[in-house]
Amino acid sequence: AVVEENGIEVWRKYLPTDTTIAGESLGRSAQFAAVKARAVLDAPLSEVYSLFTDNSRVHEYNEYCKEIWDLEWLDETTKVTYSSSGRPWCRDFVTRVHYTDLEGGAKMVVNRAEEHPQAPRKKGFTRMGMSIGANVMRPLSDGRTEFTMLTHVNPGGMANTQFGAMVTNKLSTESPRAFLVNIGKALERGAGGA
């Protein structure tokens, strides 16, 4: 692990530029590290999973998400969402989100960026790219949940410069750690949120 702190492990890996994910080559996005993080959360899987099915709670664990709404449900397990960070970062995402059950009672939420006619690019915002994002939640025998996240994003804008990529990659292990800490805090608060 690159970072191991308070039960949270974070790894970082650089992928070759010719890596293809969901039919698309990473190309220049390969300059950004793919990141994997894992922690055991003190809550049952049902509570953890509910955080990822309720847009109104995203702000509890994702400090950068200032607004989010569903653009379209493609089927009962797949939707397209729009979200934005607001100022000062001025980034937005259009993301296909798929929910699925795995063996042993585990659940997974998979995300990837795409364009959608109901979310044209906004002046003053940089559209972020996400080759892949996944959150895997496995129930443990003691009632807790093992949570593993995997993400590869291209923040766009100034991050696409050599210096921007260097800074982004240096910070790439902090955001997943903070994300997992915030999930833990949201679970402690419960469904009432805040």
Side-chain angles (χ1 to χ4, degrees):
V2 174
V3 174
E4 195 168 343
E5 179 182 319
N6 298 324
I8 298 173
E9 298 173 288
V10 183
W11 296 266
R12 178 174 48 208
K13 180 175 179 152
Y14 294 93
L15 305 172
T17 57
D18 62 353
T19 299
T20 301
I21 299 175
E24 293 187 26
S25 175
L26 288 183
R28 287 204 55 193
S29 292
Q31 68 184 322
F32 301 104
V35 179
K36 175 182 168 183
R38 183 174 54 220
V40 173
L41 302 171
D42 289 324
L45 183 135
S46 60
E47 290 178 23
V48 177
Y49 188 68
S50 73
L51 286 175
F52 293 89
T53 58
D54 182 354
N55 285 351
S56 71
R57 296 196 66 196
V58 173
H59 71 280
E60 293 181 53
Y61 57 86
N62 186 337
E63 65 185 303
Y64 300 111
C65 188
K66 301 303 180 202
E67 60 180 353
I68 182 169
W69 62 85
D70 297 338
L71 297 169
E72 175 182 11
W73 278 90
L74 303 175
D75 61 38
E76 63 185 31
T77 61
T78 309
K79 66 181 180 175
V80 180
T81 64
Y82 172 84
S83 60
S84 69
S85 66
R87 306 212 181 274
W89 306 112
C90 298
R91 299 285 194 266
D92 68 358
F93 272 111
V94 176
T95 312
R96 181 177 294 224
V97 183
H98 179 72
Y99 303 92
T100 191
D101 295 331
L102 302 174
E103 290 182 20
K107 295 190 176 286
M108 181 168 60
V109 181
V110 182
N111 310 282
R112 67 180 290 249
E114 67 177 53
E115 296 295 329
H116 194 278
Q118 292 179 40
R121 292 177 182 253
K122 291 198 236 180
K123 183 176 176 149
F125 280 78
T126 299
R127 181 68 45 98
M128 289 183 66
M130 177 188 292
S131 307
I132 189 77
N135 299 307
V136 180
M137 295 153 258
R138 296 190 185 282
L140 299 176
S141 60
D142 62 5
R144 298 183 303 160
T145 303
E146 179 188 71
F147 187 95
T148 304
M149 67 172 291
L150 173 67
T151 186
H152 185 264
V153 298
N154 178 345
M158 290 299 293
N160 274 330
T161 66
Q162 185 176 359
F163 178 73
M166 183 181 72
V167 170
T168 299
N169 287 322
K170 185 142 182 75
L171 299 172
S172 68
T173 57
E174 177 53 29
S175 287
R177 191 196 65 72
F179 179 80
L180 289 167
V181 166
N182 289 338
I183 288 173
K185 289 177 182 176
L187 291 165
E188 286 174 12
R189 283 189 297 273

